[in-house]
Amino acid sequence: MLRALPGALRLPRPWMSPGTRGCAAHASTKTPEIQVQALTGPNQGITEILMNRPHARNALGNVFVSELLEALAQLREDQQVRVLLFRSAVKGVFCAGADLKERERMSAAEVGTFVQRLRGLMSEIAAFPAPTIAAMDGFALGGGLELALACDLRIAASSAVMGLIETTRGLLPGAGGTQRLPRCLGVALAKELIFTGRRLNGVQAHELGLVNHAVAQNEEGDAAYHRALALAQEILPQAPIAVHLGKVAIDRGMEVDIASGMAIEHMCYAQNIPTQDRLEGMAAFREKRPPKFVGK
């Protein structure tokens, strides 16, 4: 069964549009490009964002971006979301990047505004409170790779193809790629990949450290998703506040010198001390039983 999110996303079907309000009778007849599923049973706490724009290979168009922003805004208020997983409903594609057909119809000013909006979207993904995982079962090019780079963790099928290919189109990465890729791989390697517009398969990306895991693709074309789900299941039992604060400490600390980073870690640790979960972890250790964290 599907867990309904507070105040919205209530439809009697397994995948839900973030833009839906009320019952199915009021839902748009058009298939939403972004759908949300909160898993239940042993996977409760894992929420999936499904990208479903097959005619454009999940390209980052206006509707796609609007629906994704709305989904993130709603989900960040849901404290039951412990891991957020991005996946694609389009076989062979994660996200093909910018919608160049839409882009051609924009004026120069409109392009600048839209790219700024894309940059904001990636920042929203990066700042999401819970860990985020990108399951890359196919092409992740340009903005598609920038979306994956905004996630905390990346899993790729060995056959997946990824790259910041903007220079091959007369562009440069504009949704965070020039900043997140060097932070992920180092400056020299990031420059090489961006200057050349080189494409990498999943195995090559794993060797460089661009993705956490590369897995052989299966017949269904969703091997990366299953590995990402397994990784989410490893995160799920851990104390959610401690995981969140650990993410904050890492992300903020990477932007400053180590002395300032130590101060950030201290502040995050201090916030965790009064939590019920910390006391539960100590009690469970003392009583030699698995802890039961509740996120308080």
Side-chain angles (χ1 to χ4, degrees):
M1 292 181 64
L2 187 67
R3 171 174 61 79
L5 298 179
L9 300 177
R10 297 192 177 112
L11 280 179
R13 61 186 184 188
W15 288 98
M16 301 183 293
S17 166
T20 301
R21 296 290 188 273
C23 65
H26 297 91
S28 170
T29 57
K30 184 179 178 181
T31 302
E33 296 180 1
I34 297 294
Q35 299 163 304
V36 176
Q37 182 181 41
L39 305 187
T40 57
N43 291 324
Q44 185 170 351
I46 301 172
T47 294
E48 298 177 356
I49 285 184
L50 185 78
M51 300 180 290
N52 187 26
R53 196 184 181 209
H55 66 280
R57 294 157 59 89
N58 290 341
L60 298 164
N62 270 304
V63 172
F64 185 101
V65 170
S66 294
E67 291 184 1
L68 186 47
L69 282 167
E70 185 175 354
L72 290 167
Q74 293 180 30
L75 290 171
R76 70 180 297 122
E77 300 302 322
D78 184 0
Q79 296 182 358
Q80 296 184 65
V81 179
R82 295 195 179 184
V83 184
L84 183 61
L85 195 156
F86 289 80
R87 60 180 296 201
S88 171
V90 184
K91 191 171 183 179
V93 175
F94 176 71
C95 174
D99 189 330
L100 296 182
K101 291 183 179 179
E102 277 192 12
R103 190 74 59 86
E104 283 182 338
R105 297 193 294 269
M106 296 180 184
S107 67
E110 289 170 336
V111 169
T113 299
F114 184 71
V115 172
Q116 180 65 28
R117 193 158 167 253
L118 275 183
R119 197 175 297 118
L121 168 63
M122 304 313 172
S123 295
E124 287 294 323
I125 294 171
F128 194 81
T132 53
I133 306 176
M136 304 159 71
D137 272 303
F139 284 90
L141 301 173
L145 181 54
E146 288 178 307
L147 192 158
L149 283 167
C151 292
D152 297 306
L153 307 170
R154 288 163 292 283
I155 312 298
S158 56
S159 58
V161 178
M162 64 201 75
L164 295 181
I165 62 169
E166 285 86 347
T167 56
T168 70
R169 303 289 188 267
L171 303 166
L172 73 153
T178 65
Q179 302 305 303
R180 293 193 174 94
L181 190 64
R183 284 167 169 78
C184 179
L185 299 182
V187 172
L189 185 52
K191 285 180 176 179
E192 180 178 337
L193 294 177
I194 290 173
F195 293 171
T196 62
R198 187 179 303 153
R199 302 183 183 208
L200 305 171
N201 62 36
V203 174
Q204 292 168 324
H206 181 250
E207 290 173 348
L208 295 179
L210 180 54
V211 301
N212 296 78
H213 303 277
V215 293
Q217 189 57 283
N218 57 26
E219 291 184 4
E220 292 75 23
D222 60 358
Y225 164 67
H226 287 290
R227 182 65 185 90
L229 186 59
L231 182 55
Q233 290 166 344
E234 287 188 69
I235 298 171
L236 202 56
Q238 315 315 324
I241 296 176
V243 170
H244 165 61
L245 290 172
K247 173 175 175 173
V248 171
I250 293 169
D251 288 348
R252 300 283 176 82
M254 287 298 294
E255 305 305 321
V256 298
D257 62 90
I258 191 159
S260 300
M262 291 295 186
I264 291 169
E265 180 183 88
H266 170 73
M267 289 186 289
C268 289
Y269 198 94
Q271 291 181 55
N272 191 65
I273 288 176
T275 63
Q276 293 180 28
D277 282 350
R278 185 185 72 88
L279 298 176
E280 165 62 14
M282 296 173 63
F285 177 77
R286 183 177 63 251
E287 297 164 11
K288 298 181 180 180
R289 62 171 174 80
K292 296 180 180 178
F293 297 121
V294 295
K296 295 181 180 179

